[in-house]
Amino acid sequence: MTLPERQLANAIRALAMDAVQAANSGHPGMPMGMADVATVLYSDYLKFDPTDPKWADRDRFVLSAGHGSMLAYATLHLAGYAHPTMEEIRNFRQLNSPCAGHPENFELAGVETTTGPLGQGLATAVGMAIAERHLNAIYGDDLVDHRTWVIAGDGCLMEGINHEAIGLAGHLGLGRLIVLWDDNKITIDGSTDLSTSEDVKARYAATGWHVDSCDGHDAADIRRAIDAALADDRPSLIACKTLIGFGAPNKQGTSATHGSPLGADEVAAARANMGWTAEPFVIPADIADAWRGFGQRGQALHAAWSDRLVSSDKKKDFEDRLSGKVAPGDAFKAYLDGLVAEPPKVATRKASENALTALTADIASLVGGSADLTGSNNTKTSSTKPLNRNDYSGRYIYYGIREFGMSAAMNGMALHGGVIPYGGTFLVFSDYCRGAIRLSALQRQRVVYVMTHDSIGLGEDGPTHQPIEHLQSLRAMPNLLVMRPADAVETAECWAIALAQDSRPTLLALTRQNLPLLRYDVTENLCLKGGYRLRSAATARKVVLVATGSEVSLALDVAEKLEAAGQGADVVSMVSTELFDEQDAAYQADLLPDDALIVSIEAGTTFGWERYTGRHGLRFGIDSFGASAPIDDLYRHFGLTVDAITPKILARLGA
Amino acid sequence: MTLPERQLANAIRALAMDAVQAANSGHPGMPMGMADVATVLYSDYLKFDPTDPKWADRDRFVLSAGHGSMLAYATLHLAGYAHPTMEEIRNFRQLNSPCAGHPENFELAGVETTTGPLGQGLATAVGMAIAERHLNAIYGDDLVDHRTWVIAGDGCLMEGINHEAIGLAGHLGLGRLIVLWDDNKITIDGSTDLSTSEDVKARYAATGWHVDSCDGHDAADIRRAIDAALADDRPSLIACKTLIGFGAPNKQGTSATHGSPLGADEVAAARANMGWTAEPFVIPADIADAWRGFGQRGQALHAAWSDRLVSSDKKKDFEDRLSGKVAPGDAFKAYLDGLVAEPPKVATRKASENALTALTADIASLVGGSADLTGSNNTKTSSTKPLNRNDYSGRYIYYGIREFGMSAAMNGMALHGGVIPYGGTFLVFSDYCRGAIRLSALQRQRVVYVMTHDSIGLGEDGPTHQPIEHLQSLRAMPNLLVMRPADAVETAECWAIALAQDSRPTLLALTRQNLPLLRYDVTENLCLKGGYRLRSAATARKVVLVATGSEVSLALDVAEKLEAAGQGADVVSMVSTELFDEQDAAYQADLLPDDALIVSIEAGTTFGWERYTGRHGLRFGIDSFGASAPIDDLYRHFGLTVDAITPKILARLGA
């Protein structure tokens, strides 16, 4: 690179090494290594308007190698975004600074997605690229015409999710996705030779990607490679050959620069080496001016775009769509009324399909899919024709056997905006995508996980397919709404609640097996309170049975037996512990009074149910792995029957 | 295939379709599609002795596509294993039949590993192949000289873990691993064209594999491809072109055969089509004889091997090694004594390294590694030099950024025998390998997960790296020993407990930050009871503080303050809730009496701690995501300090 352009990049390097040094914590190596690439990207390619970080038609930039967060903070600051300020950069990694250790979408408007868990940034970007093509197919080039750029490291490419993500991107032909790989041959443990012998480019090519390499420290070569990528209609991987920690004369090219401050001496040596004479956290005026000029191109494009939007007959629809505000419409109301008129005995997965049939008719932004379990998850409706490379306007994605990739892609769609994603797999395979579910929750995104076959009720497939610990382990996750409806009415209510969330994901746990309808009054969404009294004791209340999903009808049967034995029993349908825990103390105490024996029934682990039963209540569930057998045999085997449960409760009551 | 050989394969097909039909549940498509391949494998290649399924030098056969379990049951039965019997096959998928919906290693001696969760079988096989080469390097060809065979489907190859597993296998040059891919172009949702456009062979080749194709219904072509694979020193993938449901004339080649019974009519048509006239669950004598003859080759090899073993000077060592019985030795005892003599203030991750330094010196079968966090997980010791393709005798594996692949490989090593695997990553990334942790637990394998950076105590890396829900969500998993030691003594004790387990995995949750030594008496392993009274109230006990790991020293400080305020306080170090829950009621009641206020303190979710505190106890923890800041700021921010906790307890006591 020529000196002036190199100096523009050195501004990133200086901020990165200084901020890490000040925090005495962080990762200088990646920002310093990729500074030249990032500078070329911002100067010549990235479409952005620093005065409006949420402009709908901006390019999305994802720093998948999130540990190099100072690259994001430096470029946002230099490019003229309101945040981070230099003061915020000075407070890198300190409490209340938006410049967190890893980039967080909720801290800075210019950060498109939270990254740090390796591989997920790139996989999230795939979802953004899907959303872009989908909305482009609907609204046309005038309104939706942007790219998704990713900077990724070796870690992102080694993680399993990378395989799923690039397979999906290649299959869908997402040509507007460009990945700039920081090909520095270094991981935390040392040389990549320690752990991999892969020809990464050949692997990407095998999945339908355009691949190229460039000298990541040569601006002209970077431009050549990016131009070639732009000209190719496949998604692109550019291996940017870089030196990690470029500019630090004694440490560059080694893992010593990866995750630790360079140290005062090496910082000084790097300054000298780079010809960087400004004080820490000071950017020379000419360099600052040049950086701020990068946004002008995007601002002009933004202005032209705004003009097109104003004159578009799709303006209102587009703005409504991007606002994300949706509500169930007439089809859903008709469905709900019909439920009570003709009570179905259906599995909640089927009830979910029925609700979705109405909702996808009502709400155009719903885009569904499944990780190769479409017929089992019941996720496809007549409104959702396939989305594929020949027709991006479709609303159903065959994700393949890629649970993690699907979930991360859904995060990307939600973050992109204009799309409300839902997708299915078996509940037990939430383990396969848990990392992405966590990022849905952390990033406060409205993603709906349709997780079917939610207990031993799936029967013969056996313990590998039967969730035991999953419901409770997911309930333990912050900001995730786990809902386990008991019948078709509750399932519909849960869907309405899920779509009404503006800052959290929902996971619906649904049965394979048929369940009777338990609720006949749909005037109020009772699931909103998380738990509600489905049955009141006919005689003096001695027991409160708290159950979820398929075990609610079991609890009702147990209650009948208890009443017959003279023991009054309430039944609480605990659809969502999170929502119930958000109710006031009086409501909670009314449902779960101290003077009653509280009994939990759920066909999963009893771990954690003490939250409601207390230490000395009764908990019915399964504290081992499941087994392979027909459903009725399993419920008997695990003691989840009226005949097994009732005597134990009576014994505890001394009755 | 010529008719006689085809009929040998049709025996598999008949059993598969008949068993699925009888159970009215199961997956006939894969067994019928791969029956010819399996027959060739058993007849000509697989080294096995049906009279001794656990012969140490047998070939390992892994049915990664576990839904095709009837292929495993049919071949084991036909090849003359004691189990499954025909009666057991008749009871396919019924309660108490060892012929479960998916193959379970604990149900049948001939099943090497539990499969069903897609991708993991192949990844587990990689671990078996590593163990084989490792033991071969130590004991030589005379005693260890076998292969690992895998039958995998499209699902196994699409899952992200496949990328990690084959990358590891290619890097390590595991030439004795051969994957037979059921390349039938069908997944559950339909044609693979719906979801993938990948050139699978090119991808495998890119990671250092030998690749080939064959007609999966042509025995000669199958042999040709296998012979070529045997001749190649790389791991091999053979794409076996098959028709799913081969033999069922109206359904073969369609996803209709994948996961449902064929139906009586189609079964009848298949029988006619295959020329199979025997009744269901009857194998004609000539076919049965031919199948039972396949084992003779292996039995002869076994006899020769036994002769070599008897005359080997390594016999005792080898047998001891394969027995799996280990105990900490002199180095460990010396280390433990030294701890108390010179109390260190170290992070428990460092204490773990120190314990491991002794244990790896004492115990040769310990093979360690890390998913690219060697220096952070402190998993490498002076006794564990790298294991790589140039030296399989090494005992340390640089797994790369492959948490899931690492964990599945560890399962494979444990299942193989002769190796006790341990491996590290950050606790938060247990989410990335949770599917394999579950299979460690389900399969009852002694795998040790070294999970460091176990709370907000890791500091500045922020919420993506700070576990919140992880400890509780892992404790909810059946048969997994989660241990969170509070100091160097407890860490050593936990390691001793982990190695003493013969039927469950252990997950050690370890700190990044330094902790003081709290225990000075090492005469008894107090962690064995899961929780124990570390401090007894000096005055009348009002409070029991239950804490784990880094919060135990905090609890001791709180207890001091409480005592100063006249409130007697016990402190219980709850190292392992699983072990504590296994103690008798008297022990539990003694530690957690009803007449005291029970208070939990753990720097993670409070979800589930009601198990000990009851509904109305106090729980201190973090019920949101973490934040990026220095450690002390975080503990203050989340109210986990003496000053924040003590007044709340006093207020509750009315004191």
Side-chain angles (χ1 to χ4, degrees):
Chain A
M1 284 173 113
T2 55
L3 191 65
E5 197 155 15
R6 171 57 49 75
Q7 285 300 76
L8 296 179
N10 284 343
I12 299 173
R13 294 189 173 97
L15 285 175
M17 68 183 186
D18 288 339
V20 171
Q21 195 65 27
N24 195 28
S25 166
H27 301 74
M30 198 284 265
M32 297 179 77
M34 285 296 278
D36 297 317
V37 172
T39 302
V40 169
L41 178 63
Y42 269 79
S43 68
D44 288 19
Y45 296 98
L46 192 71
K47 182 168 75 166
F48 69 98
D49 178 354
T51 68
D52 186 0
K54 295 303 182 193
W55 170 31
D57 200 36
R58 71 191 181 279
D59 283 359
R60 269 46 170 193
F61 169 68
V62 173
L63 185 72
S64 190
H67 53 272
S69 56
M70 268 310 304
L71 184 140
Y73 304 146
T75 51
L76 289 173
H77 176 78
L78 292 167
Y81 286 76
H83 295 280
T85 63
M86 191 61 90
E87 187 60 23
E88 289 165 342
I89 289 178
R90 277 179 185 273
N91 284 311
F92 177 56
R93 292 183 159 235
Q94 306 307 304
L95 200 59
N96 301 321
S97 169
C99 296
H102 292 78
E104 307 286 0
N105 70 304
F106 49 85
E107 295 281 6
L108 287 169
V111 170
E112 301 285 359
T113 176
T114 287
T115 50
L118 292 178
Q120 287 201 65
L122 199 162
T124 302
V126 170
M128 294 176 178
I130 292 171
E132 192 272 343
R133 282 296 87 186
H134 178 64
L135 295 173
N136 171 273
I138 297 168
Y139 295 103
D141 289 347
D142 274 359
L143 298 185
V144 182
D145 182 23
H146 53 270
R147 298 182 185 281
T148 303
W149 304 85
V150 177
I151 287 182
D154 288 295
C156 294
L157 272 56
M158 285 179 78
E159 289 284 3
I161 190 175
N162 186 259
H163 170 50
E164 300 184 14
I166 72 169
L168 190 59
H171 180 66
L172 293 176
L174 302 174
R176 303 171 74 81
L177 174 65
I178 299 180
V179 175
L180 303 159
W181 166 31
D182 181 17
D183 183 13
N184 61 23
K185 303 281 181 203
I186 292 291
T187 72
I188 293 175
D189 274 358
S191 164
T192 52
D193 292 345
L194 283 172
S195 59
T196 182
S197 310
E198 177 184 311
D199 180 343
V200 171
K201 288 203 298 178
R203 173 166 66 91
Y204 270 68
T207 62
W209 284 56
H210 162 75
V211 295
D212 201 349
S213 296
C214 73
D215 176 344
H217 301 301
D218 178 334
D221 202 40
I222 297 166
R223 288 193 178 88
R224 175 201 55 73
I226 292 179
D227 289 338
L230 293 175
D232 200 288
D233 64 358
R234 293 169 291 177
S236 292
L237 173 77
I238 302 173
C240 305
K241 308 284 185 188
T242 64
L243 265 185
I244 190 171
F246 183 93
N250 305 303
K251 293 189 172 181
Q252 63 186 10
T254 75
S255 60
T257 69
H258 169 82
S260 307
L262 296 178
D265 291 349
E266 184 69 359
V267 170
R271 298 182 105 75
N273 182 45
M274 298 191 301
W276 189 265
T277 55
E279 292 296 302
F281 304 109
V282 172
I283 306 297
D286 57 338
I287 292 176
D289 288 347
W291 263 99
R292 276 196 296 272
F294 294 167
Q296 289 172 2
R297 189 172 37 83
Q299 287 179 277
L301 291 168
H302 187 177
W305 179 88
S306 297
D307 290 345
R308 292 197 299 276
L309 179 64
V310 166
S311 59
S312 169
D313 57 2
K314 294 173 179 166
K315 177 171 186 294
K316 181 172 184 315
D317 180 39
F318 182 80
E319 289 179 338
D320 284 352
R321 179 72 175 257
L322 269 290
S323 78
K325 293 200 184 75
V326 296
D330 293 340
F332 185 73
K333 290 187 188 74
Y335 164 67
L336 209 52
D337 290 338
L339 268 186
V340 186
E342 288 187 59
K345 179 164 181 167
V346 293
T348 49
R349 62 175 172 144
K350 180 66 180 173
S352 171
E353 178 189 334
N354 294 342
L356 268 174
T357 297
L359 290 167
T360 52
D362 284 339
I363 301 171
S365 52
L366 277 168
V367 173
S370 167
D372 197 48
L373 289 167
T374 294
S376 300
N377 301 144
N378 298 66
T379 36
K380 194 167 183 318
T381 72
S382 52
S383 300
T384 55
K385 62 177 179 170
L387 183 160
N388 57 44
R389 64 192 308 155
N390 301 315
D391 183 3
Y392 291 115
S393 75
R395 293 168 56 195
Y396 194 81
I397 301 175
Y398 289 101
Y399 284 106
I401 302 129
R402 303 181 180 109
E403 298 84 5
F404 201 3
M406 171 180 76
S407 304
M410 291 202 291
N411 285 338
M413 285 184 247
L415 286 159
H416 180 280
V419 171
I420 301 174
Y422 69 90
T425 184
F426 289 160
L427 179 58
V428 81
F429 297 128
S430 61
D431 283 347
Y432 273 52
C433 51
R434 198 172 160 95
I437 297 172
R438 190 171 207 257
L439 280 191
S440 306
L442 177 60
Q443 297 188 93
R444 307 172 189 167
Q445 295 303 304
R446 178 174 44 186
V447 171
V448 187
Y449 293 93
V450 182
M451 300 279 189
T452 69
H453 296 58
D454 70 351
S455 75
I456 55 164
L458 67 85
E460 292 87 345
D461 272 347
T464 53
H465 285 54
Q466 292 165 354
I468 297 292
E469 69 279 23
H470 298 76
L471 284 165
Q472 289 294 71
S473 72
L474 289 161
R475 289 176 182 134
M477 190 182 286
N479 203 42
L480 172 67
L481 207 51
V482 176
M483 308 196 89
R484 189 166 188 245
D487 71 356
V489 167
E490 285 195 358
T491 303
E493 291 179 342
C494 288
W495 263 110
I497 293 169
L499 296 180
Q501 301 303 310
D502 62 3
S503 58
R504 60 180 162 189
T506 299
L507 185 146
L508 300 173
L510 305 171
T511 65
R512 178 187 187 218
Q513 71 272 28
N514 287 342
L515 301 178
L517 197 73
L518 306 178
R519 277 266 306 286
Y520 291 86
D521 180 354
V522 295
T523 50
E524 184 188 351
N525 186 331
L526 296 178
C527 292
L528 273 170
K529 292 194 169 171
Y532 66 93
R533 189 176 291 124
L534 181 63
R535 176 196 199 281
S536 293
T539 53
R541 178 178 58 200
K542 297 287 175 53
V543 182
V544 177
L545 303 169
V546 182
T548 75
S550 44
E551 284 69 69
V552 175
S553 56
L554 171 60
L556 288 168
D557 292 345
V558 171
E560 290 294 327
K561 286 275 189 187
L562 292 171
E563 296 273 3
Q567 307 296 319
D570 283 1
V571 173
V572 170
S573 177
M574 187 61 75
V575 185
S576 165
T577 59
E578 288 85 356
L579 290 179
F580 180 74
D581 291 345
E582 289 169 10
Q583 305 307 310
D584 61 36
Y587 182 83
Q588 295 180 9
D590 178 57
L591 257 67
L592 305 177
D594 279 337
D595 64 357
L597 173 67
I598 314 289
V599 176
S600 68
I601 312 178
E602 182 171 80
T605 182
T606 66
F607 181 93
W609 275 101
E610 296 90 347
R611 167 159 294 202
Y612 304 128
T613 66
R615 284 179 69 192
H616 303 301
L618 281 174
R619 294 166 290 121
F620 293 94
I622 305 170
D623 289 317
S624 65
F625 290 106
S628 172
I631 173 170
D632 291 344
D633 291 346
L634 288 174
Y635 270 85
R636 267 194 301 276
H637 177 70
F638 288 107
L640 295 174
T641 62
V642 173
D643 291 345
I645 291 173
T646 311
K648 289 180 181 163
I649 296 174
L650 290 173
R652 176 61 66 91
L653 291 170
Chain B
M1 283 173 117
T2 54
L3 191 66
E5 195 155 17
R6 170 58 48 76
Q7 286 298 77
L8 296 179
N10 284 343
I12 299 174
R13 294 189 173 96
L15 285 175
M17 66 182 187
D18 288 339
V20 170
Q21 195 65 27
N24 195 29
S25 166
H27 301 74
M30 197 284 265
M32 296 178 77
M34 286 295 279
D36 297 317
V37 173
T39 302
V40 169
L41 178 63
Y42 268 80
S43 67
D44 286 18
Y45 296 99
L46 192 71
K47 182 167 77 168
F48 69 98
D49 178 355
T51 67
D52 185 1
K54 296 303 181 194
W55 169 33
D57 200 36
R58 71 192 181 278
D59 283 358
R60 268 48 170 192
F61 168 67
V62 172
L63 186 71
S64 191
H67 52 275
S69 55
M70 269 310 304
L71 184 140
Y73 305 145
T75 50
L76 289 173
H77 175 79
L78 291 167
Y81 286 76
H83 296 279
T85 63
M86 191 62 90
E87 187 60 23
E88 289 165 341
I89 288 178
R90 278 179 185 272
N91 284 312
F92 177 54
R93 292 183 157 235
Q94 306 307 303
L95 201 59
N96 301 323
S97 169
C99 297
H102 292 78
E104 308 286 0
N105 68 305
F106 49 87
E107 295 281 7
L108 287 169
V111 170
E112 300 285 358
T113 175
T114 287
T115 49
L118 292 178
Q120 287 200 63
L122 199 161
T124 301
V126 170
M128 294 176 178
I130 293 172
E132 191 271 346
R133 281 296 87 185
H134 178 65
L135 295 173
N136 172 273
I138 297 168
Y139 296 104
D141 289 347
D142 273 0
L143 298 185
V144 182
D145 181 24
H146 53 272
R147 297 182 186 280
T148 304
W149 304 85
V150 178
I151 286 182
D154 288 295
C156 294
L157 272 54
M158 286 179 77
E159 288 285 3
I161 190 175
N162 186 258
H163 170 50
E164 300 184 15
I166 71 170
L168 189 59
H171 179 66
L172 293 177
L174 301 174
R176 302 172 75 81
L177 174 65
I178 299 180
V179 175
L180 303 158
W181 167 32
D182 181 17
D183 184 13
N184 61 22
K185 303 280 181 205
I186 292 291
T187 72
I188 294 174
D189 274 358
S191 164
T192 53
D193 293 344
L194 283 173
S195 60
T196 183
S197 310
E198 177 184 310
D199 180 343
V200 171
K201 288 202 299 179
R203 173 167 67 91
Y204 270 69
T207 62
W209 284 56
H210 162 76
V211 296
D212 201 349
S213 296
C214 72
D215 177 345
H217 301 300
D218 178 335
D221 202 39
I222 297 166
R223 288 193 178 87
R224 176 202 53 74
I226 293 179
D227 288 339
L230 293 176
D232 199 288
D233 63 0
R234 294 168 291 179
S236 293
L237 174 77
I238 301 173
C240 305
K241 309 284 184 188
T242 65
L243 265 185
I244 189 170
F246 184 93
N250 306 301
K251 294 190 173 181
Q252 65 186 8
T254 75
S255 59
T257 68
H258 169 81
S260 307
L262 296 178
D265 290 351
E266 183 69 1
V267 169
R271 298 183 104 74
N273 182 45
M274 297 191 301
W276 189 265
T277 55
E279 292 296 302
F281 304 109
V282 173
I283 305 297
D286 55 340
I287 292 176
D289 287 347
W291 262 99
R292 277 196 296 273
F294 294 167
Q296 289 172 2
R297 190 173 35 84
Q299 287 178 275
L301 290 168
H302 187 176
W305 178 88
S306 297
D307 290 345
R308 291 196 299 275
L309 179 63
V310 166
S311 59
S312 170
D313 56 3
K314 294 173 179 168
K315 178 172 186 295
K316 180 171 186 315
D317 181 39
F318 182 81
E319 290 179 338
D320 285 350
R321 179 74 175 254
L322 271 288
S323 78
K325 293 200 184 76
V326 296
D330 293 340
F332 185 73
K333 291 188 186 75
Y335 165 68
L336 209 51
D337 290 338
L339 268 185
V340 186
E342 287 186 60
K345 178 163 182 168
V346 294
T348 48
R349 62 175 171 146
K350 180 66 181 173
S352 170
E353 178 189 333
N354 294 343
L356 269 174
T357 298
L359 290 167
T360 53
D362 283 340
I363 302 171
S365 53
L366 276 167
V367 173
S370 167
D372 198 46
L373 289 167
T374 294
S376 300
N377 300 144
N378 299 63
T379 35
K380 193 166 183 314
T381 72
S382 52
S383 298
T384 55
K385 63 178 176 169
L387 182 160
N388 57 45
R389 66 192 308 156
N390 300 316
D391 183 2
Y392 291 114
S393 75
R395 293 168 56 195
Y396 194 81
I397 300 175
Y398 288 101
Y399 284 106
I401 301 128
R402 304 182 180 108
E403 298 83 5
F404 202 2
M406 171 180 76
S407 304
M410 291 201 292
N411 284 337
M413 285 185 248
L415 286 158
H416 181 281
V419 171
I420 301 173
Y422 69 90
T425 185
F426 288 160
L427 178 59
V428 81
F429 298 127
S430 61
D431 283 347
Y432 273 52
C433 50
R434 197 172 161 96
I437 297 172
R438 190 171 206 256
L439 280 191
S440 306
L442 177 60
Q443 296 188 94
R444 306 171 189 169
Q445 294 303 304
R446 176 174 45 186
V447 171
V448 186
Y449 292 93
V450 182
M451 299 280 190
T452 69
H453 297 58
D454 70 351
S455 75
I456 55 164
L458 66 85
E460 292 87 346
D461 272 348
T464 52
H465 284 56
Q466 291 164 355
I468 296 291
E469 69 277 23
H470 299 76
L471 285 165
Q472 288 294 73
S473 72
L474 289 160
R475 288 175 182 135
M477 189 181 287
N479 203 42
L480 171 66
L481 207 51
V482 177
M483 308 197 90
R484 189 168 188 243
D487 72 355
V489 166
E490 284 194 1
T491 303
E493 291 178 343
C494 288
W495 263 110
I497 293 168
L499 296 180
Q501 301 303 310
D502 62 4
S503 58
R504 60 180 162 187
T506 299
L507 184 146
L508 301 173
L510 305 171
T511 66
R512 178 187 188 218
Q513 73 271 28
N514 287 342
L515 301 177
L517 197 73
L518 306 177
R519 280 264 309 285
Y520 291 87
D521 180 355
V522 295
T523 50
E524 185 188 352
N525 186 332
L526 296 178
C527 292
L528 273 169
K529 292 194 168 170
Y532 66 94
R533 190 176 290 123
L534 181 62
R535 177 197 199 280
S536 293
T539 52
R541 178 178 58 199
K542 298 287 175 52
V543 183
V544 177
L545 302 169
V546 182
T548 75
S550 43
E551 284 69 67
V552 175
S553 57
L554 170 60
L556 289 169
D557 293 344
V558 171
E560 289 295 325
K561 286 276 189 186
L562 292 171
E563 296 273 3
Q567 308 296 319
D570 282 2
V571 173
V572 170
S573 178
M574 187 61 77
V575 184
S576 165
T577 59
E578 288 85 356
L579 291 180
F580 180 74
D581 291 347
E582 289 169 10
Q583 304 309 309
D584 61 37
Y587 182 82
Q588 295 180 9
D590 178 57
L591 257 66
L592 305 177
D594 279 336
D595 64 358
L597 172 67
I598 313 289
V599 176
S600 68
I601 312 178
E602 182 170 80
T605 183
T606 66
F607 181 93
W609 275 102
E610 296 90 346
R611 168 158 293 201
Y612 304 128
T613 66
R615 283 178 69 193
H616 303 300
L618 281 175
R619 294 167 289 122
F620 294 93
I622 305 170
D623 288 319
S624 65
F625 289 107
S628 171
I631 174 172
D632 290 343
D633 292 345
L634 289 172
Y635 270 84
R636 267 193 302 275
H637 177 70
F638 288 107
L640 295 174
T641 62
V642 173
D643 291 344
I645 291 173
T646 311
K648 289 178 180 162
I649 297 174
L650 290 173
R652 176 60 67 89
L653 292 170

